[in-house]
Amino acid sequence: VFSGSIQGATIVDALDSLYIMDMHDEFKAATDWVEKSLDFNVNAEISVFEVNIRFVGGLLSAYYLSGEEVFRKKAVELGEKLLPAFNTPTGIPWALLNIKSGIGRNWPWASGGSSILAEFGTLHLEFMHLSQLSGNPVFAEKVMNIRKVLNRLDKPQGLYPNYLNPNSGQWGQHHVSVGGLGDSFYEYLLKAWLMSDKTDEEGKKMYYDSIQAIESHLIRKSRGGFTYIAEWKGGLLEHKMGHLTCFAGGMFALGADGAPDEKTGHQMELAAEIARTCHESYSRTTLKLGPEAFRFDGGVEAIATRQNEKYFILRPEVIETYMYMWRFTHDPKYRQWGWEAVQALEQYCKVNGGYSGIRDVYASHPSHDDVQQSFFLAETLKYLYLLFSEDDHLPFEHWVFNTEAHPLPVIRKEDVKKPEV
């Protein structure tokens, strides 16, 4: 859907899952397809963010896992095709890019021509690896410059708005979210620090400062005792939490160990609370699969109240949080909750050609949307597989997952490519 007409999103997104699950024949067939048929010379307008996390991320992981040179070559080739997106007055990239003409623009709906925080903020991990693998520093320079622009700006209440104008370098509307439009920006600050072998002090500081502001201004507890992360609109809170926001349980757990001033235990408690809230959003539906968004107002808790928020499109974020919580606590409830999701997926989402999203998780009979998102194979199934695997299968000391669940190796201090003198 998002990749205009670069074909093969499902294949590329699933490469590392096939490899990790020892599906060697299928991996070989997919590798052959990439070699012969994956073509970036298409006249297509693509989402820079989606192509980066699914295609660049998928190719990088496939390379690091298998060592097959074709994946490195294709990743770098695609990375080069994305560079014209950064040709803006500030270097904050456009959201959309015609990969043939190199002409970029932003989403017409985004606040006054703004770029989106979660989109330009979710290039860092992949671009650091592109520089590492190509020996070309330009990729790292582009994403480090984004940090420079952000650090110059005033943050309202210490928060990062979802919209930034690439021409003026000023914020758009003061909307803040840990869900869609914001989410993976925060994730990548933490993971950039972890992926750098904990040398990226700037990323570390930006992460812990921002989650402190999020905790002060966005995290609330409902009357029924559920901790949730609201949306901030110019100082007013909307008491709604999206399925996308449920990844934050895993993020808080992953970042707990490095938290300043003895906050590790507190971060882990917060992570566990968010996991519990998101599980509740699943268990309060008829089909035991969670809605796209759920609310905490007017006596309603962890339930979707609007028809256009009742769908489930095979999203991974809740299962992702269960996987991180299992790895860090080994509390058996996280595997139990994951197994509940497996059973619901099998019972209600499985169809002849694969798995389908569902239009209303509160209806007693599922109405299928007839779409199998590529992230179902990249993320949902991978996180489930890892939830039921041993901890040494892709251990966190060595691997950091991009926001599409593509594992990227930690770049060890001693392995950093030094510029030629």
Side-chain angles (χ1 to χ4, degrees), residues 204-259:
K204 178 184 186 182
K205 180 175 170 25
M206 289 171 75
Y207 172 72
Y208 289 108
D209 288 353
S210 65
I211 64 164
Q212 191 174 346
I214 285 164
E215 200 170 346
S216 302
H217 300 286
L218 272 63
I219 298 188
R220 295 290 180 266
K221 199 164 204 144
S222 72
R223 283 190 196 157
F226 293 107
T227 298
Y228 63 96
I229 309 179
E231 310 261 316
W232 194 83
K233 302 202 164 158
L236 296 172
L237 280 187
E238 185 181 16
H239 296 274
K240 164 183 117 168
M241 185 166 176
H243 192 291
L244 289 163
T245 318
C246 285
F247 91 97
M251 177 176 74
F252 288 137
L254 184 63
D257 195 41

Side-chain angles (χ1 to χ4, degrees), residues 5-6 38-44 74 77 81 99-100:
S5 58
I6 300 180
L38 181 59
D39 181 15
F40 306 133
N41 297 309
V42 287
N43 182 8
K74 292 278 189 188
E77 179 194 341
K81 290 230 178 265
I99 49 175
K100 197 181 181 96

